[in-house]
Amino acid sequence: MDTATILVVCTGNVRRSPAVEAMLREGVGQVGGLARHGITVISAGSEALEGYDMDPMIASEVALAGVRLTRHQAYPLNEDDIESADLIITAERSHRSEVARLVPSAVKRTFTLIEIAALGDLLGRTALGGPAGSEADAATRLRTLVQLAPLEKARRRVRRPADDDLQDLRKRSPREARRLVTEARGHVETLLRVLEPSLSLVAKPQRPAPAIPAPPAESTQPRSTHSTRSAG
């Protein structure tokens, strides 16, 4: 089986990027995930809150979407992970700029989640090649998507550049967490339907959210100081 790697990037690596990572890896709704097709999905933060778990409100919403969660600890963005990734997905355009600052050559394979999902949808599954149902085909589809996506940008209409940003929580509330995960889920499902070869259209059962402890108070976090910017 051919293999590939997707790197998902946000700011703190506690909300947006781990949620997208889990949904891409495990699948969500009626579409299977990429882990069983030779694609590794990892995440990192441009200003990672190292050692933090996923935000518990986000984790609850991701679990309620039927996604199997594994233990997550926030991890900082670094050059090695960027260089080894076949596709880099960012929450916002600012994260794409941070990736390019660290590894300039990576800019051609870096897209926001909203952007790459839309470009993949424009291209369609047929354009990405490979026999339908091939277990070894997801990595091929992924690399073809990365090659062809820039050529599709001229066909895509975006009202304003900020529309390509997956906005973090506006305030910490269950309603905002649901808004964020629901928005991310829609784009993830679009991308999975393009990449996932066999399209396992079997709905996953809903399950109660796992008991994930909230992050400790700021004064006890592993890092002595961190940015006041959004953590997601």
Side-chain angles (χ1 to χ4, degrees):
M1 178 183 293
D2 196 7
T3 61
T5 299
I6 295 174
L7 170 63
V8 188
V9 180
C10 69
T11 304
N13 193 215
V14 294
R15 290 197 280 265
R16 290 171 290 180
S17 60
V20 172
E21 173 195 355
M23 289 188 282
L24 284 173
R25 183 181 63 244
E26 304 295 337
V28 64
Q30 295 183 317
V31 188
L34 298 173
R36 62 196 178 95
H37 295 294
I39 295 182
T40 299
V41 188
I42 61 175
S43 66
S46 60
E47 298 180 23
L49 303 178
E50 295 183 61
Y52 278 33
D53 294 336
M54 189 190 304
D55 182 296
M57 290 193 302
I58 297 295
S60 294
E61 291 299 326
V62 173
L64 287 171
V67 179
R68 183 179 68 90
L69 291 177
T70 57
R71 181 65 186 271
H72 171 79
Q73 286 192 317
Y75 188 79
L77 182 66
N78 63 69
E79 291 90 340
D80 289 343
D81 286 342
I82 293 172
E83 289 174 347
S84 63
D86 297 277
L87 169 63
I88 301 147
I89 297 175
T90 67
E92 297 183 19
R93 292 163 296 141
S94 62
H95 303 125
R96 185 172 59 194
S97 298
E98 183 64 17
V99 168
R101 183 186 69 80
L102 292 172
V103 182
S105 63
V107 68
K108 59 188 177 184
R109 48 194 165 89
T110 304
F111 307 85
T112 70
L113 172 65
I114 295 172
E115 180 184 30
I116 193 61
L119 293 172
D121 193 43
L122 280 173
L123 282 163
R125 286 169 55 83
T126 303
L128 301 186
S134 169
E135 288 292 315
D137 195 49
T140 299
R141 287 180 184 274
L142 174 63
R143 293 191 180 97
T144 305
L145 173 61
V146 171
Q147 291 173 356
L148 297 182
L151 305 177
E152 289 297 300
K153 287 187 177 183
R155 291 180 53 200
R156 184 172 174 244
R157 297 290 180 264
V158 181
R159 186 168 60 90
R160 55 178 185 166
D163 290 342
D164 273 343
D165 293 340
L166 178 65
Q167 297 293 333
D168 196 13
L169 301 184
R170 301 183 183 96
K171 61 180 179 179
R172 265 196 113 255
S173 70
R175 180 176 181 177
E176 272 292 286
R178 188 171 305 114
R179 185 272 307 167
L180 173 58
V181 172
T182 299
E183 182 181 358
R185 173 181 174 169
H187 301 300
V188 167
E189 285 186 311
T190 298
L191 188 55
L192 284 174
R193 289 182 184 278
V194 172
L195 293 177
E196 207 270 358
S198 59
L199 280 178
S200 301
L201 297 178
V202 178
K204 296 187 175 184
Q206 300 294 300
R207 69 181 76 178
I212 298 178
E218 182 173 316
S219 62
T220 62
Q221 291 303 329
R223 300 179 71 180
S224 58
T225 59
H226 58 75
S227 171
T228 56
R229 287 178 55 192
S230 167

